[in-house]
Amino acid sequence: MEINAARALTGAHSCFVGIGLPSTAANLARRTVNPDLVLVYESGTIGSRPTRLPLSIGDGELADTADAVVSVPEMFNYWLQGGRIDVGFLGAAQLDRFANINTTVVDRGPDRPEGRLPGAGGAPEIAANCGEVLIVLRHTRRNLVPALDFVTTLGHGTGPGDRAALGMRGAGPTAVITDLGILRPHPDTAELELTTLHPGATVEQAREATGWDLRVAEGLTVTEAPTEAELSALRALKGAGRRAA
Amino acid sequence: MADIRSLHDAVGDLIHDGDTVALEGFTHLIPFAAAHEIIRQGITGLTLVRMTPDVVYDQLIGAGAARKLVFSWGGNPGVGSLHRFRDAVENGWPRPLELDEHSHAGMANRYVAGASRLPFAVLRGYRGSGIPGRTDTVATVTCPFTGEELAAVAALNPDVTVIHAQQADRGGNVQLWGLTGVQKEAVLAARRVLVTVEEIVDGALEPRPGSVVLPGWVIDAVAEVPGGAHPSYAAGYSVRDNDFYQEWDAVSRDRDTFARWLDDNVRKATR
């Protein structure tokens, strides 16, 4: 999953990176498919070149290796809202068929309080202002749900035109990378469909792990297996991260 | 002119039951020691403000100091949930916690408006999000020049802002560098300001590239507290204690384990 997420950053200039899987993928991309990728973290760092995986977006390593460190208001107002970042890379707790994201609360049924998630963080404006958005998450029915319990971050709303009607810039989510494959919005309906399977995964498995009736794209492809270089870069990155943590 | 005070006296004089208090620091320079002094003095009923209420607010919330939280992302960065925060929100333990919830961009701009002494700030934010439906501090305004509808967020003006910084001089002028987050805005938005520092230097502060300098006349008190950001860090003085953040998950998961930790490491500790 991390390797495919990293490959999705081929050709991007700059990436606004969330912590966790997106950060692993973006750092791996810099070591494999895109050495010149400019990593931007919401803690204020632009152009970080960490030698290990940061545990937090504010690890000193990110600031020490950055081209520039800016304040948080500057990051959100000038760089993000200013439309200067190509790709926003997000994780999600819940995702629906139009790539809308919930990271706020989950409904746990009657007589039980809402389950609390971390909240919005930078995501609503990352998804609204970057040229495009990539999402990485594990492929389970708990994560890919028929309806969100809460809309934290708009992806494609209820279909084509919703983003434009709201005056949102950029293409919105263009790929959802999971551990089973890659989902992309259908050009006409904006509904996510399975376009790529990872080696070893099956269509049935992906459909079983999706909370809605997952469509499969014509011309479904299979991901190229990870290369030895990619695997060793990932191992080195994770190994260094563990030692430092 | 800021007074150089002990942490105990500065917290006791500046922070009162029921205040709205912002302890800021975007991962870096988080004023943990000041938070622990708030807990030791039993100050309570606080409205706590912070963009990322991470472990420092997990401790304050679990200790029962807070009645309300104003925030945009509440987790243990890179580790997982804040268990004391979740327990308070989901189960009302040790007391119910009211929430006023935003996005990072919204919170940053609320501080900017507060520092600018404006009633609100505008941003192209919250579009398509359910967040405005849960708070009365996000609304919309129409641009008088273009007609575009924009989000308006109410200014944040804490009664007290507390930050940690690297250095102050004897006049209470403060300098911080590295990731400077939203600290400058949070300080200038506040009615009262406490800064804990790694070091009080004799003579003039040595200027650093990209640093934030806060003159003593915008600050009420400076307390010298070396290591006062631990397990967060102060660039040039310490590194982030990532092990602590990872171990916090186990400490905070269970109410009794947390209570023991709090007794041993905060309530019985002295500064």
Side-chain angles (χ1 to χ4, degrees), chain A residues 38-159:
Chain A
V38 177
L39 304 185
V40 180
Y41 286 85
E42 65 194 10
S43 53
T45 66
I46 300 173
S48 294
R49 297 173 189 81
T51 56
R52 58 174 175 82
L53 273 186
L55 177 68
S56 156
I57 52 163
D59 275 14
E61 171 95 356
L62 293 176
D64 294 344
T65 61
D67 293 329
V69 177
V70 302
S71 74
V72 166
E74 176 176 331
M75 175 56 72
F76 281 96
N77 287 347
Y78 302 173
W79 296 91
L80 183 61
Q81 187 172 261
R84 293 178 167 87
I85 316 286
D86 284 351
V87 181
F89 210 145
L90 301 174
Q94 282 188 335
L95 184 86
D96 71 11
R97 67 177 71 204
F98 292 108
N100 303 300
I101 293 173
N102 173 22
T103 53
T104 302
V105 288
V106 289
D107 184 355
R108 296 190 296 190
D111 309 324
R112 291 198 65 196
E114 286 181 332
R116 184 64 229 189
L117 303 170
E125 284 81 20
I126 291 171
N129 290 305
C130 290
E132 64 179 300
V133 180
L134 303 175
I135 299 165
V136 59
L137 83 174
R138 300 211 172 272
H139 206 136
T140 69
R141 280 183 173 256
R142 217 171 135 211
N143 293 345
L144 279 69
V145 298
L148 298 183
D149 295 329
F150 183 87
V151 180
T152 307
T153 300
L154 195 81
H156 293 291
T158 56

Side-chain angles (χ1 to χ4, degrees), chain A residues 42-43 55-60 72 76-77 81 104 108 113-116 118 120-122 125 150-152 166-167 245, chain B residues 26-27 72-74 78 86 90 99 101 103-105 109 123-131 134 178-179 181 233 240 243:
Chain A
E42 65 194 10
S43 53
L55 177 68
S56 156
I57 52 163
D59 275 14
V72 166
F76 281 96
N77 287 347
Q81 187 172 261
T104 302
R108 296 190 296 190
E114 286 181 332
R116 184 64 229 189
E125 284 81 20
F150 183 87
V151 180
T152 307
L166 285 165
Chain B
F26 210 89
T27 306
S72 42
W73 190 87
R86 286 190 61 164
E90 294 175 3
L99 299 182
E101 190 162 354
S103 68
H104 278 348
N109 279 287
L123 66 154
R124 218 179 247 122
Y126 296 101
R127 292 179 177 184
S129 170
I131 295 170
R134 287 196 159 206
L179 294 172
Y233 69 107
R240 191 172 189 268
D243 289 347

